[in-house]
Amino acid sequence: MKVLVTGGYGFIGSHVADRFHKEGHEVYIIDNLITGQKKNIDFKHKGYVLSVEDEKCEEIFRSNKFDAVVHMAAQVSVPSSITNPIHDTESNVLGLVNMLNLSKKYHVSKFIYASSAAVYGEKTELPIKETDACVPISPYGISKWVGESYCKKWQEMYGLQTLGFRFSNVYGPRQDARGEGGVIATFISRMIAGQPLHVHGEGNQTRDYIYVEDVADAIFRASYSPLTGIYNLSTGTELRVNEIVEALKAPQVEHVEKRPGDIERSVLDNSLIKRDLDWTPMYSIQEGLERTYRYFEQEWAKAEAAATAAVEPTALRAVSRHAYKFLIPYAENLLAFALTAWLTLSQQYSSYGAIDVKLFYITIMGNLYGNRQSILAVVLSIGLFLYQKLMDGREFISLLYDTDFFFQIAIYLFIGLVVGYSIDRKNAQIQNQEQKLEEMEGKYAFLHDLYNEVREVKEELQMRILKSGDSYGKIYSITKELESLEPEQVFHATVNVVKSIMNAPTVSIYTVNRTGTYLRLVAHSSAQELQAPKSLKVGDHDYIQAMLADGKVFVNKQLSAGAPLMCAPIYYRDQIAAVVAIDGLSFETFSLYHQNLFKVTTDLVSSALSKAFAFIEATENQRYVEGTSLLRPEAFQVILRSKQLAKEQNQTPYLLLRGKQTDQHFAEMSDRLDGMLRETDYIGLDEDHHLVVLLSNTSLEDANHVLNRFAQKGISLQVAEEEL
């Protein structure tokens, strides 16, 4: 079984993934790694670093046909949901809806959802049952309650089996010391660090604590069960926070302010899940605390060893890199200023009309580093200019009245600001383009990974298709249903076969007239909303012209209006004798496999029709009245039965007309009728040797018009009694 665990690198999700892996199932994980850590999973699996609300998740569902989805990804902190309810809603509602929609779209058998006891709110009657009213008091509880409603509605509307578990307070190894459920992890972490435990309020709040492996066991067993709906998942035991403190034997305890949104008492009734799933929690609170403490103790020892070996040098290198990156522009600026000052004050450049090196200095600094360094260069240049004036014997007070002095300063400021701003703007644009490029590279890397994954399983999928009993059944059905030697029966069988094989609601078959200018409908399926036209003029449809010209299967990849999804030519003696078209196929399930399957099917139809046409030609003298185009009674009855069957199964209309002419008029009548009929119509004799005309795709409502047309040519016909 293929199982997708969202949030699979997180606390509960990693234990769920562990359990499925130990039972021999293929595990896939989606996690954005905000709270999860890849180190929590040490077995072979396929992981995707994505948020569950990301649209790229569809590529994962499309590439992997999951049997079950366990949705654990969520924002789990009650205080965080109060301070940032928008983020809570994005993760817990939008992410869930995305997973539900993709599970429905790609036919997931079971969807298991992690809810919370927070949906109940503050309750006075304990233990809380699943039937009790939900009155959440925090945005986190609201989002979980809304999620349950979505799951229920997806099951009602789409038949997706959904099962939600309202967790009590889950604890155990790998838990992050955040959120309401992380009180035990927080206590143990502070104990190991030698810090006092912070108890919110008096510590008389009660909770129902359940060990994480008991949760994973319930989820695994539920994935095989027919259970749907909502269940409490808990131990059914109410424990005060102070009792946890006592069990941990904490040496230091401090009472702090009570948290907003904190429920005073909570314990869930687990009798329903125990009865329906035959499940019961295995770990007592003491066993769970001991196992959790050992895990955190080992992790603390590993962290300290790693910190001693690497943290200080790493931190030093990081600080050094940061300092170097920050100081180097200033150092280069000062060095450039020193060179500028030397050139400016030297005898060579001190004469009247000399080039002002300071302008070059300001421009270069602005081009190299942008506005910050150009402004610094301006300040230094102004100082150097002032120094020059003072060295020339000018009084400082007199400079304040010198317009040339202020004009020169204005030039420095203008050059510095313009160059600095331009470079900063250019750098911002470059940074924006780099960011877009990085995003595109990320998307490319993601799709490239999916591409490689698809290539890895390509051969396996092909073998599954080839070895599938269903595929053998399809090929067998084609060969059996197309065994007739009568073209009309082959046409009718083709509609049923193609409709069954391709799962397409609309299948139409057209014959090509002798001049290749029209296609005449001979058979079609019964999708009323997609009725096929009775004839198509080749010149009016580009796709028909192209198909008749190159003889290849047409695939409507552009979804052009007025064209079917696919159509393929049917050959007889290297000439296109007919065309098979399908439409109404769900495009989300349309793939190269369907195109290949359609090609194989039409090739078999071509083979069957070739045999039928060859048989007709070989037995022509036995089918027609000698010297006429009239079908003998036995040949006409075969065609009539085929038309009757097509009408019963696919509502394909036909009109049967009968005349009263005697034998001596048959030759003359057949010649006159032959020029008035289409390629898909037939004339012949019935069992009483009366003249009969069979008009394809003509309903009883068209009878008067048809009879008048024949009457104008002096041919007297009437609707056969079978049609009345």
Side-chain angles (χ1 to χ4, degrees), residues 242-263:
N242 287 334
E243 291 180 80
I244 299 297
V245 174
E246 293 171 5
L248 290 172
K249 300 177 182 179
Q252 303 177 66
V253 179
E254 294 180 1
H255 290 270
V256 296
E257 187 179 353
K258 187 178 179 181
R259 294 180 302 185
D262 207 357
I263 298 172

Side-chain angles (χ1 to χ4, degrees), residues 531-546:
Q531 281 289 349
K534 295 180 180 180
S535 64
L536 295 170
K537 188 176 180 181
V538 174
D540 293 342
H541 302 277
D542 293 339
Y543 75 93
I544 298 178
Q545 296 179 55

Side-chain angles (χ1 to χ4, degrees), residues 14 81 115 117 135 250 353 460 470 522 551 608:
S14 62
S81 74
S115 187
V135 190
E460 178 186 351
D470 186 45
V522 290

Side-chain angles (χ1 to χ4, degrees), residues 465 470-471 474-475 478 497-498 500-503 566 582 591-604:
I465 292 172
D470 186 45
S471 295
K474 289 178 179 179
I475 299 300
I478 291 174
V497 168
V498 175
S500 174
I501 295 290
M502 303 302 300
N503 197 25
M566 286 193 297
I582 63 172
S591 65
L592 186 60
Y593 168 73
H594 292 81
Q595 297 176 35
N596 293 335
L597 188 60
F598 185 56
K599 179 66 168 60
V600 171
T601 305
T602 53
D603 286 346
L604 288 171

Side-chain angles (χ1 to χ4, degrees), residues 94 100 208 471:
L94 297 182
L100 279 172
D208 186 343
S471 295

